[in-house]
Amino acid sequence: MTTPSFEPPVAATYGATDPSAPLVVLLHGRGSNERDIVGLAAHLPAGPAYAAVRAPIAEGGGFAWFANRGIGRPVADSLRSTMDWFRSWLDEIAPPGRPVLLIGFSGGAAFAGGLVLDDPSRFAGAAILYGTLPFDAGLPTDAGRLANLPVFVAQGDGDHVIPRELLDRTWSYLLAESGAPTVAQRQPGGHQLTAETVRELGDWVAHRLASVDRGAVTPGPRSDIRWPTIDGGELPQRPGPRPAVSWAIPQQQQTQNAPLHLQERLFDEVRQLPGVEVGPSRISVPGARGFTLRDGSSEEQAFLVPQVAEFAHLHPSYDGSLHLALPPELAADVSTKGWGRPHMWAGTRLSPGFMLVHGPRTDDELATVRAIVAASHAYAAGSP
């Protein structure tokens, strides 16, 4: 197959001109162009550089990111060609070390999704606005693929442009399987940005860039993860389907809840870890029991609430899950193996390793969950 030849990218810019400033790339929808989306930058935080890029394929009076075989369904070879073209441009203007966030609308959302699925470690975050991920286009969508990569997803309940099946599949994958800490917005309306979505997007961009400034975490799956608190060093796969978890604050486990007697056994075992004190959580819902470690690490990211040294808490009995802080690579493994999912604010407002861990359903699961909590305790204690 002959690779298509595209013209050099055309980009409209806004904001900082410092070549080391974080770069936010705006990707327009099918049939549109860079001028139609660059105006969004004026409503987003000052500080980064913004570049709205024109897609390379002429279509009607505008441009497209890929040939498709139906709305939201890219032709795999076309998507690969345009992603390679885009990466050649990006790697020149934003060499490794310069943070890059992608914001894509509609067809641009599918393109942004393709880029991060193809190489999650290259990007600091992605916003998928009123569009779908490019499923069935030759890109990996396995569990944990986007671990530690903050994502913002927005959809309209009345969107009749993108097939509902693709919108729902995108929503489900991002919030359950991908491992991405995902801030999600579903609002009344159709296939267009709302003022509320733009406001929430701007807030997400600001918090994400502030977190990157404090120290970047490399996104994406890893195969060399070892657990010091598990015999053999490998976290097993959690059996069965993943439980439902709320997508809005407060984050809570909604199905497959732990039996009460296992919740109490877990609480008793965690409180016996060295140096642990218990009391009401300082960050969770009423009734959540917090675990603190006063004489521990000075690393703030090892705690849910650094000011009071709370490293984990157990949610009330109607829920039975936990929140805890883990090293990012262990947090990614928890997501990949189905034992939990990141908090939607992990890597933005909160520690990158801020995780919800599902409550144990059996004695065997209790042993595994306790080992996960023990790893959080070791992180808080500053253990290697």
Side-chain angles (χ1 to χ4, degrees):
M1 175 182 173
T2 302
T3 302
S5 177
F6 298 119
E7 295 294 325
V10 174
T13 60
Y14 182 92
T17 57
D18 180 354
S20 65
L23 177 66
V24 180
V25 181
L26 306 174
L27 305 169
H28 62 77
R30 178 174 291 272
S32 183
N33 60 59
E34 77 285 1
R35 295 185 303 276
D36 288 342
I37 198 170
V38 71
L40 177 61
H43 303 280
L44 299 176
Y50 292 90
V53 181
R54 179 188 299 174
I57 301 173
E59 180 167 301
F63 300 87
W65 294 104
F66 46 78
N68 66 8
R69 49 191 172 80
I71 295 175
R73 294 179 168 88
V75 174
D77 290 342
S78 177
L79 180 60
R80 169 49 57 195
S81 296
T82 54
M83 288 196 306
D84 290 347
W85 165 86
F86 178 87
R87 281 296 303 269
S88 294
W89 168 80
L90 182 68
D91 291 346
E92 182 175 343
I93 69 162
R98 184 182 187 186
V100 177
L101 268 68
L102 301 175
I103 297 177
F105 173 78
S106 192
F111 191 65
L115 290 165
V116 295
L117 288 169
D118 188 52
D119 187 5
S121 65
R122 180 65 177 89
F123 302 97
I128 309 298
L129 307 178
Y130 301 87
T132 175
L133 295 176
F135 297 108
D136 308 316
L139 296 168
T141 54
D142 47 319
R145 179 66 183 172
L146 303 182
N148 295 322
L149 180 77
V151 169
F152 181 96
V153 60
Q155 297 182 359
D157 283 336
D159 192 334
H160 299 298
V161 174
I162 307 299
R164 176 51 54 183
E165 177 267 331
L166 292 178
L167 291 173
D168 290 346
R169 189 176 176 187
T170 295
W171 186 272
S172 177
Y173 177 71
L174 288 175
L175 288 167
E177 296 179 38
S178 72
T182 301
V183 172
Q185 296 285 320
R186 249 186 184 163
Q187 298 177 353
H191 191 71
Q192 68 277 327
L193 284 169
T194 66
E196 177 66 13
T197 294
V198 172
R199 186 185 70 79
E200 294 290 341
L201 174 64
D203 189 60
W204 177 82
V205 169
H207 283 290
R208 179 55 187 150
L209 292 178
S211 179
V212 168
D213 191 54
R214 291 191 295 269
V217 172
T218 302
R222 285 177 48 179
S223 59
D224 59 345
I225 296 171
R226 307 298 293 173
W227 285 78
T229 55
I230 297 177
D231 290 341
E234 184 173 353
L235 182 69
Q237 187 75 35
R238 184 181 185 271
R242 296 168 186 255
V245 174
S246 59
W247 56 269
I249 302 293
Q251 186 185 45
Q252 297 177 308
Q253 184 174 334
Q254 298 172 318
T255 62
Q256 302 181 36
N257 304 94
L260 182 59
H261 73 280
L262 292 181
Q263 295 183 37
E264 292 308 310
R265 282 177 57 190
L266 177 61
F267 176 77
D268 287 339
E269 291 181 13
V270 174
R271 74 186 304 177
Q272 293 175 35
L273 292 171
V276 169
E277 300 175 2
V278 300
S281 171
R282 297 291 292 274
I283 194 174
S284 189
V285 296
R289 292 173 284 182
F291 302 103
T292 58
L293 188 64
R294 299 291 180 178
D295 298 321
S297 172
S298 60
E299 173 57 66
E300 289 192 356
Q301 293 186 344
F303 297 92
L304 306 182
V305 190
Q307 296 86 347
V308 296
E310 182 176 331
F311 68 92
H313 55 246
L314 180 64
H315 294 130
S317 60
Y318 59 81
D319 178 333
S321 65
L322 305 99
H323 275 131
L324 47 74
L326 285 168
E329 66 275 11
L330 297 188
D333 206 31
V334 168
S335 295
T336 301
K337 302 290 181 56
W339 290 97
R341 66 181 66 181
H343 193 280
M344 56 280 287
W345 289 346
T348 52
R349 297 169 182 259
L350 303 173
S351 163
F354 198 123
M355 293 291 297
L356 180 140
V357 175
H358 305 313
R361 299 167 294 182
T362 65
D363 287 348
D364 287 345
E365 289 189 5
L366 174 63
T368 300
V369 171
R370 185 200 180 280
I372 294 172
V373 182
S376 175
H377 173 267
Y379 187 34
S383 301

